[in-house]
Amino acid sequence: MIPKDKHLHGIFAPLTTPFVDEEIAPDHLAENISHYNRFDLSGYVLLGSTGEAVYLDDDESVILVKAARDSIPSEKKLIVGTARESTRGTIRFTNRMARLGADAALIRSPGYFKSRLTPDALALYYERIADESNIPVIVYNIPVHTGYSLTTETVLRLAVHPNIIGLKDSSGNLGFVGEVLNEIPNNFAVLLGAASILLPGLMMGVSGAIITLSDVAPEHCLRLLRLFHDQMWEEARRLQLDLIPLNKAIIQTIGVAAVKYALDLTGFYGGPCRSPLPPLNKQEEDHMRRILEKLQLIEA
Amino acid sequence: MIPKDKHLHGIFAPLTTPFVDEEIAPDHLAENISHYNRFDLSGYVLLGSTGEAVYLDDDESVILVKAARDSIPSEKKLIVGTARESTRGTIRFTNRMARLGADAALIRSPGYFKSRLTPDALALYYERIADESNIPVIVYNIPVHTGYSLTTETVLRLAVHPNIIGLKDSSGNLGFVGEVLNEIPNNFAVLLGAASILLPGLMMGVSGAIITLSDVAPEHCLRLLRLFHDQMWEEARRLQLDLIPLNKAIIQTIGVAAVKYALDLTGFYGGPCRSPLPPLNKQEEDHMRRILEKLQLIEA
Amino acid sequence: MIPKDKHLHGIFAPLTTPFVDEEIAPDHLAENISHYNRFDLSGYVLLGSTGEAVYLDDDESVILVKAARDSIPSEKKLIVGTARESTRGTIRFTNRMARLGADAALIRSPGYFKSRLTPDALALYYERIADESNIPVIVYNIPVHTGYSLTTETVLRLAVHPNIIGLKDSSGNLGFVGEVLNEIPNNFAVLLGAASILLPGLMMGVSGAIITLSDVAPEHCLRLLRLFHDQMWEEARRLQLDLIPLNKAIIQTIGVAAVKYALDLTGFYGGPCRSPLPPLNKQEEDHMRRILEKLQLIEA
Amino acid sequence: MIPKDKHLHGIFAPLTTPFVDEEIAPDHLAENISHYNRFDLSGYVLLGSTGEAVYLDDDESVILVKAARDSIPSEKKLIVGTARESTRGTIRFTNRMARLGADAALIRSPGYFKSRLTPDALALYYERIADESNIPVIVYNIPVHTGYSLTTETVLRLAVHPNIIGLKDSSGNLGFVGEVLNEIPNNFAVLLGAASILLPGLMMGVSGAIITLSDVAPEHCLRLLRLFHDQMWEEARRLQLDLIPLNKAIIQTIGVAAVKYALDLTGFYGGPCRSPLPPLNKQEEDHMRRILEKLQLIEA
């Protein structure tokens, strides 16, 4: 559990879900985590988009979260993606994850009936969940998947709830992030979901980030954070720009399959995605290799 | 089961899921179906968007489909919405529904990772499912929920699969429907999902429709179909135009909650939607009453 | 001038603007029109999207409309696209075109500052123009270019203005067309802008169409209209479906350059588009030839 | 003229166009400029979106640019928006503005036939213009008006042209800006068009900004720039966040009419917008007053 007065800080890695022959492979997840534990990451997110959560059933989710919990030392946080489309479904799954030791729930706003989900309906959705959840809630704004953005007003209303501790924003819109930062109470954290703007986001006042880039390049992400704290602006700027091509490939152009491909090349277990996500073609593999070489994540 | 050489014809009603205190109420579902059985509908769709399927878990789905199967006479078809985001999840749930007696599976194209789902990936998704499904598959194109439209080429590729019997199109784009109708084999059915263009769609050559409007106004929908077959063009045109305001309210402006409100007023069980879907406000209730009065579905 | 109580009927061809070495070629325009005059088209639209109107300055527009007016017999209508973004600019240009003999003005709704153009602001725009225009006004809804659709309420408000005689709708959304047809006064015409749904649109009650398809296949379009009036449903349906691939190519896939390419192959003057519109590549030319052969517009 | 090896630096104000009774008022423009000349702005943009350029004809544009040129001291730059949809129209208008003394042309990418404007067609458009323009060209990416974003590849191709000196980006997408900054030659400037992310943009490496916010709050914008250069991070961050509500109102929520309303309250000439842009309602006026009071731009 994460008390509301203790901010979420630093870099959190949203982990991939390892599959072998389309079956979940919790042992590979545990191995990956023990590798990641060497880095100064603040914690992990299980069952996020990067984890192909929409392809997992509840029982698989339980097995994966158990395996993760056992592999994560107590000083690192375990955040779990628990969104279902219905309020009651989300509450039940959140509390199931709470019983397995999740420290907080990351909850994507519902999208299916979006034309009917007024700001008030969305706020009520989160408030009811936060009221009944046994772990703190992080609101998750991800327009590329839901088809709309939460409004500043909705976030500010939710920020005063005692069991809602933060916002993850993956809109890529720092203007929106700035509006939120301008008015939220001190005990409410804003985490960035877009690694291409990590440095600018830190500059604006976010307290940390949940970024897939840290799955592939954890040291680079952590170094960027340190450069920011040490006010090494020019080095920070240079590193931020250098990281953009890798981030673009794993988020925008190719997606999760590219993350897994990169993991396979860098000592982690990547493996295939579940169908219908296609594997990389030859051209995409070459593109990924060039990018990873340039960042010295693999040898040329 | 529906053999591929026997076309899907007529009007299918995509049923609502009755809830009492947010719990599913299969008895109310059975009652509703026995009311609907008086009409000359060709069958029913369970677990569609109108059925708030995204708010149901698998066990609830099983109970509802069992209750429905027991209430539906053999001459009417039971089609079940079985889409999951993953290929294997969809196959498993489809075959679970097959064992309960579903006649066909209506499968919405996956949307979550849409930027990676190339036409080829989408065709493979459906082909693999159709290969392993024990009941025939109907492809479902619904851009308002998935964020993209299937291409004509994808539909034509799927139309030759022996276990894919039809397409439901809810794009509202009759140009697309026409492109498909122009080239599909004779044993592939196109069903319309947009009641505002039912008459024009029939004119273009669709063989039937799965339309929420038939939940609330089954007699009107069936009369429109008869007028079309009897070539009573002016009456058909007049009725089509008269139905548009009701259809707009239950599909576009208010949604499923309006369907349920109308059911409650017309002798069916409607009841509340699951949270986070909000109920109608006073103004929306008045709007619905006026529309239903005008169509003589309720008394003024 | 077109009196409001005399409906706009039939097929209107929105003409291309001939260029030679990027200069306008009014003589080629006149030749094209004299060819088109052999067909039973109801009239022509100058300075529409198909006419690359956004690439023409005012003086060029004047020359082209003069040349057209001189070539059009009195029983055919000359409609001119006169939209500017500002109200006063549109009024001035409309009346300039009126002085040259335009029978009506086709006015696309403004798009540049669309987020500020409320339904009321849009209605006021058209009302003020219609008040001051010396020729009747046709409202033009074309979401693909403006980025939004007019609402039914706006159209109904405008339909009662004495100098607004009709709507051209290129949304492709027959549900919207149906809503409008359901409530407009008798003396207000709805013209379709989407040839792929011409037959369904006629079925719904539109009185005619302004369709680029009639530039390339005027006889086919007129035959479809006659088949509809003669209630030859199966032939009409077959012809409608046959026309969809050509229409898709000239509207959606390739655009104006494909129209001009087809004109060059069928005895009209097509010529190049103005830059930056690119010419067809080899593959697009082959595609166009195959389509035209299939419709017997050129020999195989 | 601005040589390519001398970067565009600092803050440029995109000026409003004063109207009196819907006629342009060049005297008010000259007055406004003489007020602005007191500030350390790097220059002005005439005939941009903020200048309601789409509502002006060519002759009005000439009068306004003449009036501006006479009022601007030589050390400040005069940039003029010269985009037309056609290549030749843009070249002609650009060179007309060059003859009036414009230092550079800001050219929005064409939008009308966007589905046909491939990256190659867009690059050719700019290259041909830059070849023939007598003043340097600044490429302008503004998806909210054009409906699409330029790609990084297109910008990088254009950046090596000797007569293309920079990019103005109003996408609000700092990830895109970062991609561009990562690879452009040293003599190519990137100017930000989104004031809500000015500080983050400077951090990423943009050399300046063209922001409507500087029309209303020039001192605040310039102070933010100084704080950045002086590495006063916390003050800079605080000021950036404070400016977001004003920027949101004048860009997103209300638009140009809000800029003019604020000018009228702060000693400039604002006046009305041209129709169809509606004036502020009472609620919007109150909102603007509160925002301006908070920033001490007007007295409470």
Side-chain angles (χ1 to χ4, degrees):
Chain A
M1 291 263 310
I2 302 169
K4 184 151 181 173
D5 57 347
K6 298 255 279 181
H7 247 286
L8 290 161
H9 280 289
I11 307 290
F12 297 80
L15 300 181
T16 59
T17 296
F19 297 109
V20 173
D21 295 336
E22 292 234 342
E23 297 295 332
I24 57 167
D27 50 332
H28 284 308
L29 176 63
E31 286 161 38
N32 281 350
I33 292 175
S34 60
H35 285 310
Y36 283 122
N37 283 338
R38 291 171 300 159
F39 302 106
D40 197 25
L41 295 164
S42 299
Y44 306 103
V45 173
L46 266 279
L47 310 185
S49 295
T50 307
E52 299 170 61
V54 292
Y55 293 165
L56 302 171
D57 65 32
D58 286 6
D59 293 339
E60 290 174 326
S61 301
V62 165
I63 294 168
L64 290 162
V65 170
K66 271 187 186 161
R69 180 71 285 175
D70 291 344
S71 313
I72 300 173
S74 61
E75 75 274 11
K76 292 185 192 288
K77 301 302 174 197
L78 169 57
I79 299 170
V80 179
T82 63
R84 295 294 179 263
E85 285 283 329
S86 76
T87 310
R88 63 186 258 141
T90 305
I91 292 169
R92 286 177 185 193
F93 190 68
T94 300
N95 282 333
R96 194 166 175 193
M97 293 301 110
R99 286 191 296 275
L100 300 178
D103 294 303
L106 178 64
I107 301 181
R108 187 182 62 241
S109 65
Y112 197 77
F113 292 112
K114 57 179 163 287
S115 67
R116 279 297 284 168
L117 296 175
T118 57
D120 189 58
L122 289 168
L124 284 170
Y125 169 83
Y126 278 112
E127 286 167 349
R128 212 177 126 195
I129 291 166
D131 284 348
E132 303 200 27
S133 166
N134 296 322
I135 47 176
V137 165
I138 302 167
V139 173
Y140 187 8
N141 186 45
I142 181 163
V144 73
H145 285 308
T146 60
Y148 67 92
S149 178
L150 293 173
T151 64
T152 306
E153 291 70 26
T154 301
V155 175
L156 298 180
R157 171 170 160 187
L158 296 176
V160 299
H161 191 288
N163 201 29
I164 301 181
I165 61 171
L167 167 75
K168 176 184 176 188
D169 180 72
S170 294
S171 70
N173 179 353
L174 271 188
F176 171 72
V177 170
E179 272 184 72
V180 168
L181 287 169
N182 208 15
E183 303 202 43
I184 46 166
N186 269 330
N187 61 357
F188 187 82
V190 176
L191 298 170
L192 210 61
S196 290
I197 53 172
L198 176 55
L199 177 62
L202 291 165
M203 182 97 253
M204 287 287 255
V206 304
S207 60
I210 299 175
I211 45 180
T212 304
L213 186 65
S214 70
D215 286 23
V216 178
E219 279 186 304
H220 291 75
C221 294
L222 291 163
R223 190 155 74 86
L224 182 50
L225 187 66
R226 279 196 311 275
L227 288 170
F228 168 76
H229 285 305
D230 295 348
Q231 309 209 2
M232 309 280 280
W233 306 112
E234 190 43 33
E235 291 86 344
R237 196 182 73 81
R238 196 61 255 159
L239 179 54
Q240 172 68 80
L241 294 182
D242 285 346
L243 289 171
I244 287 178
L246 174 56
N247 191 59
K248 189 182 183 184
I250 64 177
I251 296 300
Q252 205 178 318
T253 326
I254 321 186
V256 179
V259 179
K260 290 186 161 183
Y261 182 76
L263 292 181
D264 279 327
L265 294 178
T266 56
F268 290 84
Y269 180 84
C273 291
R274 262 194 179 159
S275 170
L277 272 186
L280 276 62
N281 59 35
K282 186 72 183 60
Q283 191 187 338
E284 290 168 335
E285 289 186 352
D286 290 345
H287 180 62
M288 280 303 295
R289 280 183 177 276
R290 275 194 305 275
I291 285 176
L292 295 170
E293 283 169 12
K294 215 167 173 184
L295 289 170
Q296 296 179 288
L297 285 159
I298 61 173
E299 278 176 35
Chain B
M1 290 264 310
I2 302 169
K4 185 153 181 172
D5 56 347
K6 299 254 279 181
H7 247 286
L8 291 160
H9 280 288
I11 306 291
F12 297 80
L15 300 181
T16 59
T17 297
F19 297 109
V20 173
D21 295 337
E22 293 232 342
E23 297 295 333
I24 56 166
D27 48 333
H28 285 308
L29 176 63
E31 285 162 39
N32 281 349
I33 291 175
S34 58
H35 284 310
Y36 284 121
N37 284 338
R38 291 171 300 158
F39 302 106
D40 196 24
L41 294 164
S42 300
Y44 306 103
V45 174
L46 267 279
L47 310 184
S49 295
T50 307
E52 299 170 62
V54 291
Y55 293 164
L56 300 171
D57 65 33
D58 286 4
D59 293 339
E60 291 173 327
S61 301
V62 165
I63 294 168
L64 291 163
V65 170
K66 272 186 186 162
R69 180 71 284 176
D70 291 344
S71 313
I72 300 175
S74 61
E75 75 275 11
K76 292 184 191 287
K77 301 300 173 198
L78 170 58
I79 299 170
V80 178
T82 63
R84 295 295 179 262
E85 286 282 330
S86 75
T87 310
R88 63 187 257 139
T90 304
I91 292 168
R92 287 178 183 193
F93 190 67
T94 300
N95 282 334
R96 194 167 175 192
M97 293 300 110
R99 287 191 294 275
L100 299 178
D103 294 302
L106 177 65
I107 302 182
R108 187 181 62 238
S109 65
Y112 197 76
F113 292 112
K114 58 179 162 287
S115 67
R116 280 297 281 169
L117 296 175
T118 57
D120 189 58
L122 288 168
L124 284 170
Y125 170 82
Y126 278 111
E127 286 167 348
R128 213 178 126 194
I129 290 166
D131 284 347
E132 304 200 26
S133 167
N134 297 320
I135 45 175
V137 165
I138 301 167
V139 174
Y140 187 8
N141 186 43
I142 180 164
V144 74
H145 284 309
T146 61
Y148 68 92
S149 179
L150 293 174
T151 64
T152 306
E153 291 71 25
T154 300
V155 175
L156 298 180
R157 172 170 161 186
L158 296 176
V160 298
H161 191 288
N163 202 27
I164 301 182
I165 59 170
L167 167 75
K168 176 185 177 188
D169 181 72
S170 295
S171 70
N173 179 353
L174 270 188
F176 171 71
V177 170
E179 273 184 73
V180 169
L181 286 170
N182 208 16
E183 304 201 42
I184 47 166
N186 269 331
N187 61 357
F188 186 81
V190 176
L191 299 170
L192 210 62
S196 290
I197 52 173
L198 176 54
L199 176 63
L202 291 165
M203 182 98 253
M204 288 286 255
V206 304
S207 59
I210 300 174
I211 43 179
T212 303
L213 186 65
S214 69
D215 287 22
V216 179
E219 280 186 304
H220 292 74
C221 294
L222 291 164
R223 190 155 73 85
L224 182 51
L225 187 65
R226 278 196 311 274
L227 288 170
F228 168 77
H229 286 305
D230 295 348
Q231 307 211 3
M232 309 279 280
W233 305 111
E234 188 46 33
E235 292 85 346
R237 197 182 71 82
R238 195 62 255 159
L239 178 55
Q240 172 67 81
L241 295 182
D242 285 346
L243 288 171
I244 287 179
L246 174 56
N247 192 57
K248 189 182 184 186
I250 64 177
I251 295 300
Q252 204 177 320
T253 329
I254 320 185
V256 179
V259 180
K260 291 187 160 183
Y261 182 75
L263 291 181
D264 279 327
L265 294 179
T266 55
F268 291 83
Y269 180 83
C273 291
R274 261 193 180 161
S275 170
L277 273 187
L280 276 62
N281 60 35
K282 186 70 183 62
Q283 192 188 337
E284 291 167 334
E285 290 187 351
D286 291 345
H287 180 62
M288 280 304 294
R289 280 181 177 276
R290 274 194 306 275
I291 285 175
L292 295 170
E293 283 169 12
K294 216 166 171 184
L295 289 170
Q296 295 179 288
L297 285 158
I298 61 173
E299 280 176 33
Chain C
M1 289 261 312
I2 302 169
K4 184 152 182 173
D5 56 348
K6 299 253 277 181
H7 247 286
L8 292 161
H9 279 290
I11 307 290
F12 297 81
L15 301 182
T16 59
T17 296
F19 297 108
V20 173
D21 295 337
E22 292 233 343
E23 297 297 331
I24 56 167
D27 49 332
H28 284 309
L29 176 62
E31 285 162 39
N32 281 350
I33 291 175
S34 58
H35 283 310
Y36 284 123
N37 284 339
R38 291 171 299 158
F39 302 106
D40 196 25
L41 295 165
S42 300
Y44 306 103
V45 174
L46 266 280
L47 311 184
S49 295
T50 307
E52 298 171 63
V54 292
Y55 293 165
L56 301 171
D57 65 33
D58 286 4
D59 292 340
E60 292 174 326
S61 301
V62 165
I63 293 168
L64 291 163
V65 170
K66 271 186 185 161
R69 181 70 285 177
D70 291 344
S71 313
I72 300 174
S74 60
E75 75 274 11
K76 292 186 192 287
K77 301 302 174 197
L78 169 57
I79 299 171
V80 179
T82 63
R84 296 294 179 266
E85 285 283 330
S86 75
T87 311
R88 63 185 258 141
T90 304
I91 292 169
R92 287 177 185 193
F93 190 67
T94 299
N95 282 333
R96 195 168 174 191
M97 293 300 110
R99 286 192 295 275
L100 299 178
D103 294 302
L106 178 64
I107 302 181
R108 187 184 60 238
S109 65
Y112 198 76
F113 292 112
K114 58 180 163 288
S115 67
R116 279 297 281 170
L117 296 175
T118 57
D120 189 58
L122 289 168
L124 284 170
Y125 170 82
Y126 278 111
E127 287 167 348
R128 214 178 124 194
I129 290 166
D131 284 348
E132 304 201 24
S133 166
N134 296 322
I135 46 176
V137 165
I138 302 167
V139 173
Y140 187 9
N141 186 44
I142 181 162
V144 73
H145 285 308
T146 61
Y148 67 93
S149 179
L150 294 173
T151 64
T152 305
E153 290 70 26
T154 299
V155 175
L156 298 181
R157 172 170 159 186
L158 296 175
V160 299
H161 191 288
N163 201 28
I164 301 181
I165 61 171
L167 166 74
K168 176 185 177 188
D169 181 72
S170 294
S171 70
N173 178 353
L174 272 188
F176 171 71
V177 170
E179 272 185 73
V180 169
L181 287 169
N182 207 17
E183 304 202 42
I184 45 165
N186 269 330
N187 60 358
F188 187 82
V190 176
L191 299 170
L192 210 62
S196 290
I197 52 173
L198 176 55
L199 176 63
L202 290 166
M203 181 101 254
M204 287 287 254
V206 303
S207 58
I210 299 175
I211 44 179
T212 302
L213 186 65
S214 69
D215 287 22
V216 179
E219 279 186 305
H220 292 74
C221 293
L222 290 164
R223 190 154 74 86
L224 181 51
L225 187 65
R226 277 196 311 275
L227 289 170
F228 168 76
H229 285 306
D230 295 347
Q231 307 211 3
M232 310 279 280
W233 305 112
E234 189 45 33
E235 292 86 344
R237 197 182 72 81
R238 196 61 254 159
L239 179 55
Q240 172 68 80
L241 295 182
D242 285 346
L243 289 171
I244 287 179
L246 174 57
N247 191 57
K248 189 182 184 186
I250 65 177
I251 295 301
Q252 205 178 318
T253 327
I254 321 185
V256 179
V259 179
K260 291 186 161 183
Y261 182 75
L263 291 181
D264 279 328
L265 295 178
T266 55
F268 291 83
Y269 179 83
C273 291
R274 262 194 178 158
S275 169
L277 272 187
L280 275 63
N281 59 36
K282 185 70 183 62
Q283 190 189 339
E284 291 167 335
E285 289 186 352
D286 291 346
H287 180 62
M288 280 304 295
R289 280 181 178 277
R290 275 193 306 276
I291 285 176
L292 295 170
E293 284 168 12
K294 216 167 171 182
L295 290 170
Q296 295 179 288
L297 284 159
I298 60 173
E299 280 175 33
Chain D
M1 291 264 310
I2 303 169
K4 184 152 181 173
D5 57 347
K6 297 254 280 183
H7 248 287
L8 291 161
H9 280 290
I11 307 289
F12 297 80
L15 301 180
T16 59
T17 296
F19 297 109
V20 173
D21 295 336
E22 291 233 343
E23 297 296 332
I24 57 166
D27 50 330
H28 284 309
L29 176 63
E31 285 162 38
N32 280 351
I33 291 175
S34 59
H35 283 311
Y36 284 121
N37 283 338
R38 291 172 300 158
F39 302 106
D40 197 25
L41 294 164
S42 299
Y44 306 104
V45 174
L46 266 279
L47 311 184
S49 295
T50 308
E52 298 170 62
V54 291
Y55 293 165
L56 301 170
D57 64 34
D58 286 5
D59 293 339
E60 291 174 327
S61 300
V62 165
I63 294 169
L64 291 162
V65 169
K66 272 186 184 160
R69 181 71 282 176
D70 291 344
S71 312
I72 299 174
S74 60
E75 75 274 13
K76 291 184 193 287
K77 301 302 173 198
L78 169 57
I79 299 170
V80 178
T82 64
R84 296 294 180 264
E85 285 283 329
S86 75
T87 310
R88 62 187 258 140
T90 305
I91 291 168
R92 287 178 185 193
F93 190 68
T94 300
N95 282 333
R96 194 167 175 192
M97 294 299 110
R99 286 192 294 275
L100 299 179
D103 294 302
L106 178 65
I107 301 181
R108 187 183 61 239
S109 65
Y112 197 76
F113 292 112
K114 57 179 164 286
S115 66
R116 278 297 283 168
L117 297 175
T118 56
D120 189 58
L122 288 168
L124 284 170
Y125 169 82
Y126 278 112
E127 285 167 349
R128 212 176 127 194
I129 291 166
D131 284 348
E132 303 201 27
S133 166
N134 296 321
I135 47 175
V137 165
I138 302 166
V139 174
Y140 187 8
N141 186 44
I142 181 163
V144 74
H145 285 308
T146 60
Y148 68 93
S149 179
L150 293 173
T151 64
T152 306
E153 290 71 25
T154 300
V155 175
L156 298 180
R157 170 170 160 186
L158 296 176
V160 299
H161 191 286
N163 202 28
I164 301 181
I165 61 171
L167 167 74
K168 176 184 177 186
D169 181 72
S170 293
S171 71
N173 178 353
L174 271 188
F176 171 72
V177 170
E179 273 185 73
V180 169
L181 287 168
N182 208 16
E183 303 201 44
I184 46 166
N186 269 330
N187 61 358
F188 187 81
V190 176
L191 299 171
L192 209 62
S196 290
I197 53 173
L198 177 55
L199 177 62
L202 291 166
M203 181 101 254
M204 288 285 256
V206 304
S207 60
I210 300 175
I211 44 179
T212 304
L213 186 66
S214 70
D215 287 22
V216 178
E219 280 186 305
H220 291 74
C221 293
L222 291 163
R223 190 155 74 85
L224 181 50
L225 187 66
R226 279 197 310 276
L227 289 170
F228 169 76
H229 285 305
D230 295 348
Q231 308 209 1
M232 308 280 280
W233 306 110
E234 188 46 31
E235 292 85 345
R237 197 183 71 82
R238 196 61 253 159
L239 179 54
Q240 173 67 81
L241 295 183
D242 285 345
L243 289 171
I244 286 178
L246 174 56
N247 191 59
K248 189 182 183 184
I250 66 177
I251 296 301
Q252 205 178 319
T253 328
I254 322 187
V256 179
V259 179
K260 291 187 160 182
Y261 182 77
L263 291 181
D264 279 328
L265 295 178
T266 56
F268 290 84
Y269 180 84
C273 290
R274 262 194 180 160
S275 171
L277 272 186
L280 277 63
N281 60 34
K282 186 70 184 63
Q283 192 187 338
E284 290 168 333
E285 290 187 351
D286 290 346
H287 179 63
M288 281 303 296
R289 281 182 177 277
R290 275 193 306 274
I291 285 176
L292 295 170
E293 283 169 12
K294 216 166 172 185
L295 289 169
Q296 295 179 291
L297 285 159
I298 61 172
E299 280 177 33

